[in-house]
Amino acid sequence: SAVISQKPSRDICQRGTSLTIQCQVDSQVTMMFWYRQQPGQSLTLIATANQGSEATYESGFVIDKFPISRPNLTFSTLTVSNMSPEDSSIYLCSGAKSGYQETQYFGPGTRLLVL
Amino acid sequence: AQRVTQPEKLLSVFKGAPVELKCNYSYSGSPELFWYVQYSRQRLQLLLRHISRESIKGFTADLNKGETSFHLKKPFAQEEDSAMYYCALLYGSSNTGKLIFGQGTTLQVKP
C-alpha cells in the first residue's frame, strides 16, 4: 500500500493569485494523478503526473492553468494559477504502483476557497 | 465517450436490511470497474474490483455486460457501512490507470 499526504489541507486565496499543492507518498509509486472535486460533484481527473516529463492533461485542463511537477517517484506538485472563484474545489492527489494501476491510493485532499 | 452513472444520490436503509447501490457504465472497450468508498472524515479508498470477484466487508458486485451495470450489494447493512460510495471505470489503454468516477451515492444506515 501507499500513504499519501497533501499540503496544505485547506486554504483561502484571493482571485488572481496562485497556490501550489504538494503531494508526498511514503513509498515509490509508478503513477501519480491529480483530481478536482467541485462542490457537490464527483472526482474529475485533471492530469497524470509523469516523472521527469510533462504531465498528461485531460480534456478541459491545460498546463498554463494547472502546471504540475513530478521530480521523483514519491513527490508531485499541482499549481492552480490565476485563480478565480470557479477554482474553489477539493484537489486530490493519488498514486498507484506498477501492475496495480487501478488500485489508487488517495491523499486527504486540499480544500481550496477562492474569494 | 465513457461514462459512469450512479442514479441515486442518497440511499437510506435500516440496519439489517439489504442494500443495493446502482452503477451503470458506458464504454466501448472491455470494462474494468471498481467501487471506492469514503467514510466520514477519512480518505477515499478502494473497496473492491470486479476482476477479483471478491467480497469485502460483506459487499459484492457483479459485472453485467449485457446491462452495462456493476451494482454493489450487501445482504444485511450495518451502521458502519454508512459512507459515500463511488463507482469507477478504468479507461484508456490498460496501463494508463485513468479512472472516471460516478457521481457517488451516500449510504445512510439507520439503527
Side-chain angles (χ1 to χ4, degrees):
Chain A
S1 66
V3 178
I4 297 183
S5 58
Q6 288 183 233
K7 287 195 297 188
S9 59
R10 60 178 63 224
D11 208 341
I12 301 173
C13 300
Q14 297 297 317
R15 71 168 67 214
T17 64
S18 298
L19 176 73
T20 295
I21 303 168
Q22 297 180 7
C23 176
Q24 180 75 54
V25 191
D26 70 340
S27 59
Q28 292 186 349
V29 289
T30 307
M31 314 188 84
M32 292 182 77
F33 305 92
W34 286 98
Y35 291 85
R36 180 175 72 182
Q37 187 172 24
Q38 295 178 298
Q41 303 294 316
S42 186
L43 287 78
T44 300
L45 181 63
I46 297 172
T48 303
N50 301 309
Q51 188 209 354
S53 65
E54 193 171 284
T56 305
Y57 291 84
E58 297 301 300
S59 176
F61 297 96
V62 295
I63 188 171
D64 290 346
K65 177 67 177 176
F66 298 102
I68 289 170
S69 78
R70 190 179 172 193
N72 56 52
L73 290 176
T74 62
F75 186 78
S76 179
T77 66
L78 168 76
T79 299
V80 186
S81 302
N82 188 25
M83 287 184 285
S84 66
E86 291 72 36
D87 294 319
S88 298
S89 294
I90 298 173
Y91 292 87
L92 296 112
C93 170
S94 74
K97 302 209 173 191
S98 176
Y100 297 92
Q101 293 90 340
E102 73 280 5
T103 304
Q104 292 188 21
Y105 301 95
F106 282 84
T110 296
R111 189 178 295 267
L112 172 62
L113 176 64
V114 184
L115 303 177
Chain B
Q2 56 277 350
R3 180 179 294 174
V4 176
T5 303
Q6 293 178 250
E8 303 142 327
K9 292 192 77 170
L10 172 66
L11 184 62
S12 185
V13 302
F14 285 100
K15 177 182 173 181
V19 170
E20 182 179 54
L21 290 86
K22 297 189 186 319
C23 172
N24 289 90
Y25 67 90
S26 173
Y27 186 52
S28 58
S30 181
E32 291 189 48
L33 286 141
F34 314 88
W35 279 97
Y36 278 79
V37 61
Q38 187 167 26
Y39 300 101
S40 178
R41 288 186 288 278
Q42 293 187 29
R43 61 190 66 194
L44 194 63
Q45 58 186 289
L46 178 67
L47 179 63
L48 56 80
R49 70 195 86 181
H50 92 270
I51 56 174
S52 299
R53 300 192 63 81
E54 57 198 345
S55 174
I56 303 294
K57 299 184 178 183
F59 285 98
T60 59
D62 290 317
L63 177 62
N64 185 324
K65 291 186 179 181
E67 296 183 359
T68 60
S69 68
F70 187 57
H71 303 327
L72 184 68
K73 301 177 183 180
K74 185 170 183 176
F76 307 104
Q78 303 299 315
E79 289 181 69
E80 55 265 30
D81 296 328
S82 296
M84 173 71 92
Y85 291 80
Y86 292 96
C87 182
L89 168 73
L90 189 72
Y91 70 101
S93 58
S94 61
N95 62 350
T96 63
K98 298 197 292 186
L99 292 173
I100 182 169
F101 286 83
Q103 291 294 99
T105 298
T106 299
L107 175 62
Q108 182 183 76
V109 182
K110 297 178 284 189

